[in-house]
Amino acid sequence: MHLRARWLVPVGRPPIEHGWLRIEHGRIAAIGQQRTPADLNGCRPVDLGDAILCPGLVNAHTHLEFSDLEQPLDAEGGLPGWIARVVAIRRARPTDAEGARLTSSLRAGLTESLGHGVTTIGDIATGIPPEGYPPIGPRVRVYREALGLSFRGQSPPAAVTRDLDRLGSAGGISPHAPYTVSSRLGRVLLDDARRRDLPVTMHLAESLAELAFVTGSGGALRDLLAALGAWPADRPAPVLPPSEWIARLARSRRGSVVHGTFLGEPPDSSANERLARHRDRLGLVVCPRTTRLLSGRLPPVERFLAAGLRVAIGTDSRASNPDLSVLAEARELVGSGIVSPGAALAMMTRDAAWALAYEHRAGSIAVGRPADLVVLGPSGPFSDPLDAILRPDTRVLATLRQGRVLHGSLAAG
Ligand SMILES: [Zn+2]
């Protein structure tokens, strides 16, 4: 297939006006500008008109298991209140129907993602359906999540080991968060990630309540954990502050810190510098709409970028977000003047792929890469393609994975 478009935006090199690319066997075989080569090498030419052709978008952090929720949960009470509602939903699910529900939720989330131009996903999974993830499109890095404050084992829980064995090189490991993972469980999980050479990710410094709890002053999260029966309130907390987790995550070959909204707040003031020291291995993933919902602010992206960190965009789940659109997340940041459209595009392509350790397969258009692409259609005239990508009325016309159209149509351009 030979695609032509008014703009080809490869990421990692400047946009190409009147660009074209050729797809052979699901991969990008050639890229060029202006004149279509006389020899199309037997490829079918498709003219996308005024459309913008970009690398398939990358959602660096979501929880597809909640993709069956119609709308986000109530945010009353901030993170502790929201967590109580998530746990209530989990506990109310009938266990005998959970496998089928999970599969249908994953299917809904993967299908929705294609509709938003997303071809690569970092998913946090508390379990894997017996038949695996539905093979319907996006490439998924599945981070097996684990949590527990009273763990006593020497190796990861059996269910985690079983899932990681099944996931193979598409797996990853996620200790959930400092307030739900004991120091010991974290050590066992991260040792296993190193042994398997898998990337890691962890929610860190998401709320002030988390910092209060893990630095020993109790508060709403400890009360919540005690009420849920997840915390033996009579014993000292076997937990660690974010700065300690950063040092541990940095022993893996690749990792990401999710949220980081309150990173560096006293008394855990060294967390920012420590993260910056490990920027060759650790990146940040921000979920702007979720942070605004649960913390009343947008993530401090400027501070992360000034520290030289790679910052990626994720949507978090449908439990805190109305949809799984990374474009909508990026628009929050651009609309608030926090980043430029070009920076936002890197955050939902190149740097998100890096966070997932998929930088050689996703996040940019380059010869030899899989032809994972999104075709975007701005509704009116435009001169700057980067600006046009982030306009609220720009539509996803088609999403391609390995050269196959999995959403929309190439005729629409
Ligand atoms: Zn999350």
Side-chain angles (χ1 to χ4, degrees), residues 217-404:
S217 42
L221 273 175
R222 190 179 63 188
D223 297 345
L224 172 68
L225 291 167
L228 293 173
W231 169 241
D234 54 333
R235 270 191 270 140
V239 292
L240 301 170
S243 56
E244 267 310 308
W245 284 113
I246 288 168
R248 291 176 170 213
L249 293 167
R251 292 182 206 136
S252 297
R253 72 175 163 105
R254 183 64 48 79
S256 56
V257 167
V258 180
H259 301 306
T261 315
F262 299 94
L263 220 50
E265 295 275 333
D268 192 36
S269 323
S270 66
N272 273 327
E273 294 88 85
R274 191 167 274 188
L275 184 55
R277 224 182 302 142
H278 296 297
R279 61 187 160 224
D280 58 328
R281 299 179 153 224
L282 298 182
L284 243 305
V285 181
V286 296
C287 307
R289 289 180 296 173
T290 291
T291 300
R292 201 187 49 199
L293 179 79
L294 296 176
S295 301
R297 61 171 79 179
L298 285 170
V301 175
E302 308 105 306
R303 204 174 68 205
F304 300 145
L305 291 173
L309 288 157
R310 288 181 175 86
V311 184
I313 285 180
T315 60
D316 233 328
S317 77
R318 291 284 301 260
S320 59
N321 217 0
D323 59 53
L324 300 176
S325 168
V326 288
L327 276 168
E329 300 290 344
R331 282 176 192 131
E332 288 289 327
L333 298 177
V334 173
S336 308
I338 292 175
V339 296
S340 68
L345 180 64
M347 291 168 70
M348 55 182 167
T349 53
R350 184 191 63 200
D351 294 338
W354 185 88
L356 302 178
Y358 276 151
E359 68 270 27
H360 300 301
R361 302 186 209 179
S364 64
I365 295 176
V367 172
R369 292 285 182 101
D372 296 355
L373 304 165
V374 57
V375 182
L376 295 170
S379 69
F382 64 95
S383 52
D384 179 351
L386 300 180
D387 213 48
I389 288 168
L390 271 304
R391 284 202 324 216
D393 53 0
T394 293
R395 290 184 307 127
V396 173
L397 302 178
T399 308
L400 288 77
R401 173 86 204 283
Q402 294 178 309
R404 283 176 51 224

Side-chain angles (χ1 to χ4, degrees), residues 61-63 82 124 145 176 203 206 258-259 287 316-317:
H61 178 85
T62 184
H63 306 247
W82 179 86
I124 309 295
E145 184 177 77
H176 170 253
H203 302 93
E206 185 175 4
V258 180
H259 301 306
C287 307
D316 233 328
S317 77

